[in-house]
Protein backbone atom coordinates (compact mmCIF):
# COMPACT_ATOMS: atom_id res chain seq x y z
CA UNK A 1 0.00 0.00 0.00
CA UNK A 2 1.27 3.48 -0.90
CA UNK A 3 1.98 5.61 2.19
CA UNK A 4 1.66 9.38 1.92
CA UNK A 5 2.40 11.83 4.75
CA UNK A 6 -0.69 13.97 5.28
CA UNK A 7 -0.60 15.70 8.67
CA UNK A 8 -1.18 19.20 7.29
CA UNK A 9 -4.74 20.32 6.58
CA UNK A 10 -4.05 20.98 2.89
CA UNK A 11 -2.50 17.54 2.33
CA UNK A 12 -5.22 15.77 4.31
CA UNK A 13 -7.78 17.39 2.05
CA UNK A 14 -5.92 16.25 -1.10
CA UNK A 15 -5.52 12.67 0.14
CA UNK A 16 -9.12 12.54 1.32
CA UNK A 17 -10.31 13.53 -2.14
CA UNK A 18 -7.96 10.97 -3.70
CA UNK A 19 -9.42 8.22 -1.51
CA UNK A 20 -12.98 9.14 -2.51
CA UNK A 21 -12.28 9.29 -6.23
CA UNK A 22 -10.15 6.11 -6.20
CA UNK A 23 -13.21 3.88 -5.81
CA UNK A 24 -14.72 5.27 -9.03
CA UNK A 25 -13.65 5.04 -12.68
CA UNK A 26 -13.45 8.81 -13.11
CA UNK A 27 -10.44 10.35 -14.83
CA UNK A 28 -8.33 12.45 -12.48
CA UNK A 29 -6.13 15.51 -13.06
CA UNK A 30 -3.43 15.93 -10.40
CA UNK A 31 -1.80 19.37 -10.34
CA UNK A 32 1.03 20.86 -8.34
CA UNK A 33 4.57 22.16 -8.51
CA UNK A 34 7.40 19.91 -9.64
CA UNK A 35 8.51 17.54 -6.89
CA UNK A 36 5.36 17.74 -4.76
CA UNK A 37 4.53 14.05 -5.11
CA UNK A 38 1.99 13.93 -7.96
CA UNK A 39 3.31 10.57 -9.13
CA UNK A 40 3.02 9.10 -5.63
CA UNK A 41 -0.58 10.29 -5.38
CA UNK A 42 -1.38 8.68 -8.76
CA UNK A 43 0.02 5.38 -7.47
CA UNK A 44 -2.01 5.87 -4.27
CA UNK A 45 -5.22 6.30 -6.30
CA UNK A 46 -4.51 3.12 -8.27
CA UNK A 47 -3.70 1.14 -5.10
CA UNK A 48 -7.03 2.12 -3.53
CA UNK A 49 -9.10 1.42 -6.66
CA UNK A 50 -10.91 -1.72 -7.85
CA UNK A 51 -8.18 -1.88 -10.54
CA UNK A 52 -5.39 -2.33 -7.97
CA UNK A 53 -4.70 -5.92 -9.08
CA UNK A 54 -4.36 -4.81 -12.70
CA UNK A 55 -1.42 -2.99 -14.36
CA UNK A 56 -0.31 0.49 -13.33
CA UNK A 57 1.41 1.93 -16.42
CA UNK A 58 3.18 5.29 -16.57
CA UNK A 59 4.48 7.43 -19.42
CA UNK A 60 6.40 10.69 -19.09
CA UNK A 61 5.23 13.02 -21.84
CA UNK A 62 8.03 15.51 -21.16
CA UNK A 63 11.01 13.23 -21.73
CA UNK A 64 10.10 11.62 -25.06
CA UNK A 65 10.32 13.27 -28.50
CA UNK A 66 6.89 13.95 -30.06
CA UNK A 67 7.08 11.15 -32.67
CA UNK A 68 8.39 8.58 -30.20
CA UNK A 69 5.84 9.65 -27.57
CA UNK A 70 2.91 8.89 -29.86
CA UNK A 71 4.41 5.51 -30.79
CA UNK A 72 5.00 4.65 -27.13
CA UNK A 73 1.48 5.65 -26.15
CA UNK A 74 -0.52 4.05 -28.96
CA UNK A 75 1.92 1.39 -30.20
CA UNK A 76 2.74 0.74 -33.86
CA UNK A 77 2.57 -1.84 -36.59
CA UNK A 78 5.48 -3.23 -38.55
CA UNK A 79 6.60 -0.75 -41.21
CA UNK A 80 4.75 2.18 -39.61
CA UNK A 81 7.97 4.19 -39.79
CA UNK A 82 11.65 3.70 -40.48
CA UNK A 83 13.03 1.22 -37.98
CA UNK A 84 9.67 -0.36 -37.12
CA UNK A 85 10.73 -3.89 -38.02
CA UNK A 86 8.02 -5.50 -35.93
CA UNK A 87 4.71 -4.56 -34.32
CA UNK A 88 4.74 -3.27 -30.76
CA UNK A 89 1.82 -2.64 -28.36
CA UNK A 90 1.73 0.78 -26.69
CA UNK A 91 1.28 1.86 -23.08
CA UNK A 92 -2.48 2.13 -23.57
CA UNK A 93 -2.76 -1.57 -24.36
CA UNK A 94 -0.47 -2.43 -21.46
CA UNK A 95 -2.80 -0.51 -19.12
CA UNK A 96 -5.95 -2.40 -20.22
CA UNK A 97 -8.25 -2.88 -17.20
CA UNK A 98 -5.73 -0.97 -15.09
CA UNK A 99 -4.55 2.63 -14.77
CA UNK A 100 -2.54 4.77 -17.19
CA UNK A 101 -0.64 7.69 -15.64
CA UNK A 102 0.19 10.47 -18.09
CA UNK A 103 2.96 12.50 -16.45
CA UNK A 104 3.39 16.11 -17.65
CA UNK A 105 0.34 15.85 -19.89
CA UNK A 106 0.88 19.43 -21.13
CA UNK A 107 3.76 18.15 -23.30
CA UNK A 108 1.53 15.78 -25.27
CA UNK A 109 1.49 16.93 -28.96
CA UNK A 110 -1.82 18.21 -30.35
CA UNK A 111 -2.18 15.27 -32.77
CA UNK A 112 -1.76 12.81 -29.91
CA UNK A 113 -4.19 14.86 -27.81
CA UNK A 114 -6.87 14.35 -30.48
CA UNK A 115 -6.27 10.59 -30.47
CA UNK A 116 -6.34 10.47 -26.67
CA UNK A 117 -9.65 12.32 -26.69
CA UNK A 118 -11.08 9.59 -28.91
CA UNK A 119 -9.81 6.95 -26.47
CA UNK A 120 -11.62 8.70 -23.62
CA UNK A 121 -14.85 9.12 -25.57
CA UNK A 122 -15.03 5.78 -27.40
CA UNK A 123 -12.54 3.51 -25.58
CA UNK A 124 -10.84 2.58 -28.84
CA UNK A 125 -7.85 3.51 -31.03
CA UNK A 126 -5.52 2.21 -33.74
CA UNK A 127 -1.80 1.68 -33.52
CA UNK A 128 0.42 3.85 -35.70
CA UNK A 129 0.31 2.43 -39.21
CA UNK A 130 -2.52 0.07 -38.25
CA UNK A 131 -6.10 -0.32 -39.39
CA UNK A 132 -7.42 -2.64 -36.72
CA UNK A 133 -9.45 -0.89 -34.04
CA UNK A 134 -8.38 -1.88 -30.55
CA UNK A 135 -10.74 -1.55 -27.60
CA UNK A 136 -9.24 -0.51 -24.28
CA UNK A 137 -10.51 -0.02 -20.74
CA UNK A 138 -7.98 2.07 -18.83
CA UNK A 139 -8.47 4.66 -16.15
CA UNK A 140 -6.53 7.86 -16.90
CA UNK A 141 -4.69 9.90 -14.27
CA UNK A 142 -3.02 12.98 -15.77
CA UNK A 143 -0.29 14.91 -13.94
CA UNK A 144 0.89 18.45 -14.64
CA UNK A 145 2.83 21.31 -13.07
CA UNK A 146 1.61 23.59 -15.89
CA UNK A 147 -1.41 25.88 -15.91
CA UNK A 148 -3.46 24.01 -18.53
CA UNK A 149 -5.98 26.85 -18.88
CA UNK A 150 -3.12 29.10 -19.90
CA UNK A 151 -1.95 26.42 -22.35
CA UNK A 152 -5.48 26.34 -23.79
CA UNK A 153 -5.36 30.11 -24.34
CA UNK A 154 -2.05 29.66 -26.18
CA UNK A 155 -3.67 26.90 -28.26
CA UNK A 156 -1.09 24.45 -26.96
CA UNK A 157 -3.68 22.25 -25.28
CA UNK A 158 -7.16 21.18 -26.37
CA UNK A 159 -9.96 22.49 -24.19
CA UNK A 160 -12.16 19.45 -24.90
CA UNK A 161 -9.40 17.12 -23.69
CA UNK A 162 -8.89 19.27 -20.60
CA UNK A 163 -12.53 18.94 -19.59
CA UNK A 164 -12.45 15.17 -20.20
CA UNK A 165 -9.39 14.77 -17.99
CA UNK A 166 -10.49 17.30 -15.39
CA UNK A 167 -13.44 15.29 -14.08
CA UNK A 168 -11.85 15.50 -10.64
CA UNK A 169 -8.87 17.77 -10.02
CA UNK A 170 -6.60 17.26 -7.02
CA UNK A 171 -4.18 20.07 -6.15
CA UNK A 172 -1.11 19.00 -4.19
CA UNK A 173 0.22 21.87 -2.04
CA UNK A 174 3.92 22.78 -2.17
CA UNK A 175 6.08 21.63 0.74
CA UNK A 176 6.48 25.20 2.04
CA UNK A 177 2.73 25.12 2.83
CA UNK A 178 2.99 21.73 4.58
CA UNK A 179 4.92 22.62 7.73
CA UNK A 180 3.08 19.93 9.69
CA UNK A 181 4.34 17.25 7.27
CA UNK A 182 7.99 18.30 7.17
CA UNK A 183 9.29 16.57 10.31
CA UNK A 184 7.52 13.30 9.46
CA UNK A 185 8.83 13.34 5.88
CA UNK A 186 12.34 14.17 7.07
CA UNK A 187 12.37 11.32 9.59
CA UNK A 188 11.02 8.88 7.02
CA UNK A 189 13.69 9.82 4.49
CA UNK A 190 16.36 9.59 7.19
CA UNK A 191 15.39 6.00 8.00
CA UNK A 192 15.17 5.06 4.32
CA UNK A 193 18.55 6.47 3.30
CA UNK A 194 20.37 5.33 6.45
CA UNK A 195 19.28 1.78 5.63
CA UNK A 196 20.11 2.19 1.95
CA UNK A 197 23.66 3.44 2.55
CA UNK A 198 24.43 1.44 5.71
CA UNK A 199 24.71 4.52 7.95
CA UNK A 200 23.87 4.91 11.63
CA UNK A 201 22.20 8.35 11.45
CA UNK A 202 19.15 8.12 13.72
CA UNK A 203 17.86 11.68 14.16
CA UNK A 204 18.45 15.39 13.51
CA UNK A 205 20.05 17.83 15.92
CA UNK A 206 17.75 20.73 16.93
CA UNK A 207 19.87 23.10 14.82
CA UNK A 208 19.55 20.93 11.71
CA UNK A 209 15.83 20.56 12.25
CA UNK A 210 15.40 24.33 12.61
CA UNK A 211 17.28 24.90 9.35
CA UNK A 212 15.03 22.46 7.50
CA UNK A 213 11.96 24.18 8.92
CA UNK A 214 13.26 27.59 7.83
CA UNK A 215 14.02 26.49 4.25
CA UNK A 216 11.29 26.94 1.61
CA UNK A 217 12.15 23.91 -0.61
CA UNK A 218 11.62 25.21 -4.17
CA UNK A 219 12.11 21.60 -5.30
CA UNK A 220 9.52 20.39 -2.77
CA UNK A 221 9.51 16.79 -1.45
CA UNK A 222 11.95 15.61 -4.12
CA UNK A 223 14.48 18.23 -3.00
CA UNK A 224 13.97 17.31 0.66
CA UNK A 225 14.77 13.69 -0.17
CA UNK A 226 17.94 14.70 -2.03
CA UNK A 227 19.10 16.97 0.81
CA UNK A 228 18.61 14.28 3.44
CA UNK A 229 20.23 11.54 1.36
CA UNK A 230 23.30 13.76 0.94
CA UNK A 231 23.32 14.54 4.67
CA UNK A 232 23.16 10.83 5.53
CA UNK A 233 26.10 10.11 3.22
CA UNK A 234 28.39 12.89 4.51
CA UNK A 235 27.47 12.58 8.20
CA UNK A 236 29.98 10.93 10.54
CA UNK A 237 27.74 10.95 13.63
CA UNK A 238 24.56 9.29 14.83
CA UNK A 239 22.74 12.62 14.40
CA UNK A 240 22.45 14.78 11.29
CA UNK A 241 24.00 18.14 12.17
CA UNK A 242 23.47 21.55 10.57
CA UNK A 243 26.88 21.27 8.89
CA UNK A 244 25.77 18.08 7.12
CA UNK A 245 23.16 20.03 5.16
CA UNK A 246 24.22 21.70 1.87
CA UNK A 247 25.66 25.20 2.27
CA UNK A 248 23.11 26.57 -0.22
CA UNK A 249 20.31 25.24 1.98
CA UNK A 250 21.80 26.78 5.12
CA UNK A 251 22.28 30.18 3.45
CA UNK A 252 18.80 30.22 1.91
CA UNK A 253 17.20 29.20 5.21
CA UNK A 254 19.01 31.98 7.08
CA UNK A 255 17.94 34.54 4.47
CA UNK A 256 14.32 33.42 4.60
CA UNK A 257 14.39 33.61 8.40
CA UNK A 258 15.80 37.13 8.22
CA UNK A 259 13.09 38.27 5.81
CA UNK A 260 10.42 36.70 8.01
CA UNK A 261 11.40 38.89 10.97
CA UNK A 262 9.21 41.96 10.40
CA UNK A 263 9.89 45.36 12.01
CA UNK A 264 7.40 46.74 14.53
CA UNK A 265 4.95 49.49 13.57
CA UNK A 266 6.93 51.96 15.71
CA UNK A 267 10.16 51.06 13.86
CA UNK A 268 8.48 51.53 10.47
CA UNK A 269 7.06 54.88 11.60
CA UNK A 270 10.43 56.09 12.93
CA UNK A 271 12.19 55.05 9.73
CA UNK A 272 9.60 56.86 7.61
CA UNK A 273 9.99 60.04 9.67
CA UNK A 274 13.79 59.92 9.34
CA UNK A 275 13.50 59.40 5.60
CA UNK A 276 11.12 62.31 5.22
CA UNK A 277 13.41 64.60 7.21
CA UNK A 278 16.33 63.54 5.03
CA UNK A 279 14.31 64.27 1.89
CA UNK A 280 13.40 67.77 3.17
CA UNK A 281 17.00 68.37 4.32
CA UNK A 282 15.90 68.78 7.93
CA UNK A 283 13.02 71.19 7.24
CA UNK A 284 10.63 70.10 10.00
CA UNK A 285 7.73 72.27 8.81
CA UNK A 286 7.83 70.73 5.33
CA UNK A 287 8.39 67.26 6.79
CA UNK A 288 5.33 67.63 9.06
CA UNK A 289 3.24 68.70 6.04
CA UNK A 290 4.31 65.63 4.04
CA UNK A 291 3.70 63.34 7.02
CA UNK A 292 0.23 64.81 7.56
CA UNK A 293 0.88 65.73 11.19
CA UNK A 294 1.37 69.00 13.06
CA UNK A 295 4.84 70.46 13.63
CA UNK A 296 4.31 70.05 17.37
CA UNK A 297 3.42 66.37 16.90
CA UNK A 298 6.58 65.85 14.85
CA UNK A 299 8.71 67.44 17.58
CA UNK A 300 7.08 65.19 20.19
CA UNK A 301 7.81 62.06 18.16
CA UNK A 302 11.40 63.11 17.54
CA UNK A 303 11.88 63.84 21.24
CA UNK A 304 10.44 60.44 22.16
CA UNK A 305 12.77 58.67 19.71
CA UNK A 306 15.74 60.69 20.99
CA UNK A 307 14.88 59.76 24.57
CA UNK A 308 14.69 56.06 23.65
CA UNK A 309 18.07 56.27 21.91
CA UNK A 310 19.48 58.12 24.94
CA UNK A 311 18.24 55.40 27.27
CA UNK A 312 19.90 52.76 25.12
CA UNK A 313 23.19 54.69 25.09
CA UNK A 314 22.97 55.23 28.84
CA UNK A 315 22.49 51.50 29.33
CA UNK A 316 25.52 50.76 27.16
CA UNK A 317 27.50 53.40 29.10
CA UNK A 318 26.54 51.81 32.41
CA UNK A 319 27.66 48.42 31.12
CA UNK A 320 31.02 49.92 30.06
CA UNK A 321 31.35 51.62 33.47
CA UNK A 322 30.74 48.32 35.25
CA UNK A 323 33.42 46.67 33.11
CA UNK A 324 35.80 49.52 33.98
CA UNK A 325 35.09 49.13 37.70
CA UNK A 326 35.76 45.40 37.50
CA UNK A 327 39.10 46.08 35.81
CA UNK A 328 40.00 48.65 38.51
CA UNK A 329 39.25 46.14 41.24
CA UNK A 330 41.62 43.69 39.54
Amino acid sequence: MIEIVALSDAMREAVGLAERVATTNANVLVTGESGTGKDALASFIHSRSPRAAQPLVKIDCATLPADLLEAELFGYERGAFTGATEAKPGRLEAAHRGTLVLDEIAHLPLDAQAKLLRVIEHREFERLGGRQTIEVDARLVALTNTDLKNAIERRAFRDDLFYRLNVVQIQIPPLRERAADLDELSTGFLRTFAAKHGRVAKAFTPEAQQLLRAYDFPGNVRELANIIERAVIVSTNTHIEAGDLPESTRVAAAERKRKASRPTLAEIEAEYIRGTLAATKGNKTEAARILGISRKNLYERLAREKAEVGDQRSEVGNQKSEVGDQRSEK
Side-chain angles (χ1 to χ4, degrees):
M1 192 65 69
I2 304 298
E3 295 294 334
I4 295 180
V5 175
L7 301 176
S8 63
D9 291 341
M11 199 60 190
R12 277 206 304 267
E13 183 178 344
V15 172
L17 181 55
E19 286 184 318
R20 293 194 297 275
V21 74
T23 58
T24 72
N25 283 312
N27 295 327
V28 183
L29 179 64
V30 182
T31 62
E33 295 178 8
S34 179
T36 49
K38 298 185 292 294
D39 184 73
L41 192 68
S43 298
F44 176 85
I45 291 170
H46 175 74
S47 71
R48 296 297 181 95
S49 76
R51 299 171 180 264
Q54 302 302 324
L56 171 63
V57 180
K58 301 179 181 181
I59 183 168
D60 189 343
C61 302
T63 59
L64 295 171
D67 52 350
L68 183 57
L69 175 57
E70 192 169 347
E72 280 291 316
L73 183 57
F74 298 101
Y76 54 84
E77 297 292 348
R78 179 181 178 181
F81 50 84
T82 302
T85 57
E86 57 184 22
K88 181 183 177 182
R91 306 288 177 94
L92 264 171
E93 287 177 73
H96 183 57
R97 300 190 186 283
T99 303
L100 176 65
V101 178
L102 297 154
D103 197 3
E104 299 306 338
I105 186 70
H107 291 270
L108 192 66
L110 286 169
D111 289 347
Q113 289 180 32
K115 293 181 179 180
L116 183 61
L117 182 63
R118 181 190 169 198
V119 172
I120 295 173
E121 292 178 339
H122 303 292
R123 299 291 179 180
E124 62 182 31
F125 68 98
E126 290 86 33
R127 294 176 182 172
L128 269 66
R131 295 184 178 180
Q132 179 184 355
T133 298
I134 300 171
E135 294 184 355
V136 65
D137 172 23
R139 195 233 195 107
L140 300 183
V141 179
L143 318 179
T144 184
N145 62 8
T146 300
D147 183 348
L148 290 183
K149 290 188 176 180
N150 180 265
I152 290 170
E153 291 175 0
R154 293 186 285 106
R155 299 186 181 278
F157 201 84
R158 295 178 62 108
D159 57 351
D160 46 6
L161 177 59
F162 170 75
Y163 292 117
R164 288 291 190 176
L165 293 172
N166 194 39
V167 176
V168 176
Q169 182 176 154
I170 303 176
Q171 172 78 36
I172 300 186
L175 186 55
R176 61 182 172 275
E177 296 176 8
R178 298 173 55 188
D181 299 332
L182 182 61
D183 288 351
E184 186 74 17
L185 284 166
S186 301
T187 301
F189 286 137
L190 181 60
R191 287 195 298 264
T192 297
F193 294 125
K196 176 182 176 181
H197 298 291
R199 302 296 191 182
V200 293
K202 298 178 180 179
F204 299 91
T205 64
E207 294 78 11
Q209 207 160 41
Q210 287 173 9
L211 275 172
L212 289 173
R213 289 170 181 169
Y215 188 54
D216 64 354
F217 294 99
N220 293 293
V221 178
R222 185 183 295 128
E223 183 182 13
L224 173 64
N226 290 342
I227 287 173
I228 293 178
E229 182 170 19
R230 175 195 181 277
V232 166
I233 292 170
V234 303
S235 176
T236 57
N237 300 308
T238 57
H239 284 64
I240 299 297
E241 300 178 349
D244 297 324
L245 302 177
E247 183 181 1
S248 57
T249 301
R250 300 197 303 269
V251 171
E255 178 64 14
R256 186 173 186 235
K257 193 173 181 180
R258 185 188 66 79
K259 287 181 178 179
S261 58
R262 296 175 179 272
T264 64
L265 186 60
E267 289 171 339
I268 294 173
E269 181 183 85
E271 181 63 26
Y272 184 56
I273 290 174
R274 286 194 295 270
T276 304
L277 280 168
T280 60
K281 298 181 179 179
N283 188 323
K284 295 182 177 60
T285 302
E286 179 63 13
R289 186 190 66 78
I290 294 172
L291 292 168
I293 59 178
S294 68
R295 197 164 182 266
K296 179 183 176 184
N297 196 339
L298 175 59
Y299 273 107
E300 289 173 348
R301 297 188 187 201
L302 290 173
R304 185 167 62 244
E305 183 181 356
K306 185 176 181 180
E308 290 173 355
V309 172
D311 290 342
Q312 292 172 356
R313 288 177 176 172
S314 177
E315 186 176 337
V316 171
N318 290 338
Q319 291 173 351
K320 289 182 177 179
S321 177
E322 289 173 3
V323 171
D325 292 341
Q326 290 171 358
R327 288 176 175 171
S328 296
E329 290 174 3
K330 291 179 181 180

